[in-house]
Amino acid sequence: QILGGGTVQSLLAVAAGVPIPFKCALLRVFVTALYFLGGGTQGGDGPTIQVCTSLACMIGWICGIRSPRTQSLLASLGFCCGFAASFNAPLSGILFAIEELSHVSSRLTTRVICVILIGSIVSTAVMRGFLSNKTLFKATHSTDLESMVAGGSVHELLGQNM
């Protein structure tokens, strides 16, 4: 489960109801830290999602929640929290978890949705508490039509006026 980026492995674990061992999550943190120190360009979302999924399953296992169906629900909750925190988008975490849970169970209760909602909001708030609420991408556009069209022209790419 340590191979790859982490997101796909977590999805497969959630679908199969297989918990991600916490030692895999710790190894993922270590390997990702080494990768970033070496100048790697991997996104932080995969390891974040895998660690959150593993942590949710481990907490459930310690509390005695060991049925495969409930472990799958906990894994979806961890996945939701990791997704929301890594992308700074609580709504996307909620929608993703509801989508994944619809594959596990045909009935979603209000309590499950409320737990997902609270988990997504709390994980995003914790992430914003550590990293602040920064805008990652700022979309700007020019009001001048000529400059927008000229941006993709050949003379802009080659640096010459034609």
Side-chain angles (χ1 to χ4, degrees):
Q1 291 181 348
I2 196 71
L3 298 174
T7 307
V8 175
Q9 290 77 12
S10 297
L11 273 174
L12 293 174
V14 168
V18 176
I20 299 173
F22 194 66
K23 62 183 177 183
C24 286
L26 290 177
L27 184 59
R28 170 68 67 186
V29 169
F30 179 71
V31 168
T32 302
L34 285 177
Y35 186 75
F36 285 149
L37 287 173
T41 58
Q42 174 187 9
D45 55 317
T48 304
I49 289 169
Q50 192 170 24
V51 168
C52 288
T53 304
S54 173
L55 192 61
C57 290
M58 185 191 71
I59 290 171
W61 193 264
I62 289 170
C63 292
I65 305 171
R66 296 186 175 148
S67 72
R69 186 174 176 148
T70 310
Q71 280 288 313
S72 183
L73 290 172
L74 286 173
S76 294
L77 176 64
F79 200 98
C80 161
C81 293
F83 199 85
S86 63
F87 291 112
N88 194 14
L91 187 59
S92 64
I94 294 165
L95 293 175
F96 186 78
I98 289 174
E99 175 192 354
E100 288 305 311
L101 287 175
S102 68
H103 299 296
V104 175
S105 174
S106 60
R107 297 181 314 143
L108 288 177
T109 64
T110 309
R111 289 181 184 169
V112 171
I113 293 174
C114 286
V115 167
I116 289 170
L117 177 73
I118 291 168
S120 180
I121 291 171
V122 166
S123 66
T124 304
V126 167
M127 189 274 309
R128 288 181 182 176
F130 281 110
L131 301 176
S132 77
N133 191 14
K134 296 179 185 176
T135 303
L136 298 177
F137 303 105
K138 189 170 186 173
T140 60
H141 61 84
S142 174
T143 57
D144 182 23
L145 181 61
E146 184 180 335
S147 66
M148 288 193 301
V149 173
S153 64
V154 175
H155 77 275
E156 288 290 324
L157 294 174
L158 299 177
Q160 304 169 0
N161 286 331
M162 299 189 88

